[in-house]
Amino acid sequence: MNIESYLPDCVNNVARLLETILQNADTCRIFVEKKGIEAILQLFTMPLMPPSVSVGQSISVAFKNFSPQHYVSLARDVCSFLREHLKSTNEVLDSIGGTQLALIESAKQSKVLKHLSSLEGILALSVFLLKGTTAVVSELSTSDADVLKDIGRTYKEIIWQISLCNDSKTEEKKNNDQEADISQGPSTVVERESDDDTNMQTVRYTNPVFARNGSHSMWSGERDFVSVVRSGEGLHRRTRQGIARMRGGRAARRLEALNI
């Protein structure tokens, strides 16, 4: 049996089993003392777990009936695990230096996707716990709220990767349009240019797009990295910075595992 397709079912069954067990204070106390929470959290980072699978919702089921008396211990362990995983995730993202994921070597690409997939699952569990207790809020606010700051860093990197994928898709579409123009012959091109001159005042592209205003290092400054602009025909013809929202393509499929 393919272990990658088998593991998600295993995690789901474990969570449902624990849901029925962790329903009274004594059992929860023993579970906490035996470091059961730490063991459950390790399921997020199993090396063979497919990056395209998020187990956050499944693991949340295990704590659905967790004793309120031990919610503080649960929140502390989850936030501590989240803090450490965020640091390692940001270190991995820093190691690629803002390079598009589709362009880096396969091994490093898989490592980045795995870290982001695990982080998505941990955040899903954290959101679930936030609905049931204020203990998670207290834990997130400790150490000068470093967890929230690290989440912000990760978020910026993800937005950066999305913008790079949008660039690639726009460039690919532009190349396809050029090939189509060449195949249609010179007469068609001249006729199209004449039409453009006649209808110069007509705005043909009115969908909002992202425009990248600077380099990756601008994230550290106060200037906005992404701005929304309304693109007209002239802008579309003269600049490569206009990027349409991602709707697919090879680069987009490489990022499906991120569950963004």
Side-chain angles (χ1 to χ4, degrees):
M1 181 179 292
N2 187 348
I3 189 66
E4 292 188 353
S5 62
Y6 175 68
L7 277 178
D9 287 337
C10 283
V11 172
N12 186 57
N13 291 334
V14 167
R16 293 190 177 277
L17 174 63
L18 288 173
E19 179 188 7
T20 61
I21 294 175
L22 302 176
Q23 292 190 9
N24 63 75
D26 289 337
T27 305
C28 291
R29 176 181 56 79
I30 297 174
F31 187 76
V32 171
E33 291 175 353
K34 298 297 182 180
K35 298 187 182 300
I37 298 175
E38 290 90 331
I40 288 291
L41 294 176
Q42 294 302 318
L43 296 176
F44 285 112
T45 56
M46 284 192 296
L48 291 179
M49 183 66 70
S52 59
V53 176
S54 176
V55 297
Q57 296 297 331
S58 297
I59 294 179
S60 298
V61 173
F63 302 108
K64 184 177 180 179
N65 300 313
F66 204 74
S67 171
Q69 301 176 23
H70 299 90
Y71 245 100
V72 174
S73 299
L74 176 60
R76 181 172 57 249
D77 291 341
V78 170
C79 290
S80 176
F81 189 82
L82 172 61
R83 180 179 289 105
E84 295 303 319
H85 189 73
L86 270 172
K87 290 180 179 178
S88 61
T89 299
N90 285 329
E91 289 175 358
V92 171
L93 290 172
D94 290 341
S95 68
I96 65 176
T99 305
Q100 185 178 353
L101 281 179
L103 303 180
I104 64 178
E105 59 187 36
S106 178
K108 184 170 289 188
Q109 181 183 112
S110 298
K111 185 177 182 180
V112 173
L113 292 176
K114 178 60 183 174
H115 273 74
L116 291 175
S117 176
S118 300
L119 177 61
E120 193 273 340
I122 301 168
L123 288 174
L125 174 60
S126 301
V127 170
F128 172 81
L129 297 178
L130 274 170
K131 298 176 182 179
T133 178
T134 59
V136 177
V137 178
S138 300
E139 290 295 330
L140 291 176
S141 62
T142 60
S143 301
D144 197 26
D146 58 336
V147 172
L148 301 180
K149 295 176 182 178
D150 286 340
I151 290 176
R153 287 182 55 197
T154 307
Y155 176 74
K156 291 175 182 178
E157 292 293 336
I158 292 175
I159 296 299
W160 170 256
Q161 289 294 333
I162 292 175
S163 69
L164 292 178
C165 286
N166 286 337
D167 266 338
S168 298
K169 184 168 178 59
T170 302
E171 187 66 24
E172 183 179 348
K173 183 178 183 301
K174 180 180 179 181
N175 292 336
N176 292 338
D177 291 343
Q178 290 177 348
E179 292 175 0
D181 290 341
I182 294 175
S183 64
Q184 290 173 358
S187 59
T188 306
V189 174
V190 171
E191 181 181 351
R192 179 175 299 177
E193 289 178 353
S194 178
D195 291 342
D196 287 344
D197 292 338
T198 304
N199 302 289
M200 185 62 69
Q201 301 301 323
T202 303
V203 178
R204 296 173 56 189
Y205 296 89
T206 58
N207 290 330
V209 297
F210 287 122
R212 190 167 70 254
N213 294 325
S215 66
H216 179 258
S217 61
M218 285 177 61
W219 284 116
S220 59
E222 295 181 357
R223 297 169 57 187
D224 292 334
F225 169 68
V226 176
S227 61
V228 178
V229 299
R230 189 162 297 274
S231 175
E233 177 63 36
L235 176 63
H236 181 74
R237 290 167 55 190
R238 291 191 296 268
T239 180
R240 295 174 54 195
Q241 292 180 334
I243 15 178
R245 284 192 174 277
M246 191 176 355
R247 289 290 183 266
R250 291 192 299 271
R253 286 195 292 272
R254 289 178 178 269
L255 288 175
E256 284 182 355
L258 297 180
N259 291 314
I260 298 177

